């Protein structure tokens, strides 16, 4: 509840959350000021970072459960340049490849 404010950030984070979960085969819906998630285990996916540092980092956390790839993953550096280092330190597996 109370997620309507997420639409006015660097990106529409409400949509990003829904897309991230749906991309991993987890049924999630946005309705007014709430997100409803209908439980199931996530599956491996290729997700978009959406040019938003928080979306990239939350996608990385989600993908620890199922594997996958994040397009535009380098945006984590905007707010947390040490994210990859710290994430790997606690057992996360994340490689960032800069293309172009």
């Amino acid at each position: 509840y109370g997620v309507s404010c997420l639409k006015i950030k660097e990106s529409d984070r409400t949509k990003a959350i829904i897309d991230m979960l749906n991309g991993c085969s987890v049924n999630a819906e946005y309705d007014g000021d709430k997100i409803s998630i209908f439980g199931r285990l996530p599956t491996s996916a290729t997700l978009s970072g959406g040019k938003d540092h928080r979306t990239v980092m939350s996608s990385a956390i989600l993908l620890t459960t199922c594997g996958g790839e994040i397009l535009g993953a380098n945006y984590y550096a905007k707010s947390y340049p040490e994210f990859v280092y710290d994430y790997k330190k606690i057992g996360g597996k994340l490689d960032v490849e800069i293309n172009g």
Side-chain angles (χ1 to χ4, degrees):
Y1 292 93
V3 299
S4 59
C5 65
L6 297 176
K7 296 180 78 63
I8 55 172
K9 304 298 181 186
E10 291 94 331
S11 66
D12 181 344
R13 291 188 184 142
T14 305
K15 181 180 180 331
I17 291 167
I18 299 298
D19 290 348
M20 179 179 19
L21 291 168
N22 289 339
C24 290
S25 301
V26 175
N27 186 15
E29 300 172 353
Y30 171 68
D31 180 22
D33 202 31
K34 71 176 181 175
I35 293 176
S36 298
I37 301 171
F38 306 94
R40 85 167 267 171
L41 293 175
T43 61
S44 181
T46 298
L47 303 175
S48 172
K51 298 182 179 181
D52 187 315
H53 50 124
R54 288 182 179 92
T55 301
V56 168
M57 292 184 285
S58 58
S59 294
I61 300 303
L62 173 62
L63 293 178
T64 61
T65 66
C66 58
E69 156 180 35
I70 304 168
L71 304 176
N74 57 307
Y75 283 90
Y76 72 88
K78 177 179 180 179
S79 63
Y80 191 177
E82 305 84 16
F83 176 73
V84 171
Y85 172 77
D86 290 343
Y87 185 69
K88 287 180 177 182
K89 219 165 60 172
I90 62 168
K93 296 178 182 174
L94 180 67
D95 293 312
V96 177
E97 179 179 320
I98 308 297
N99 295 317

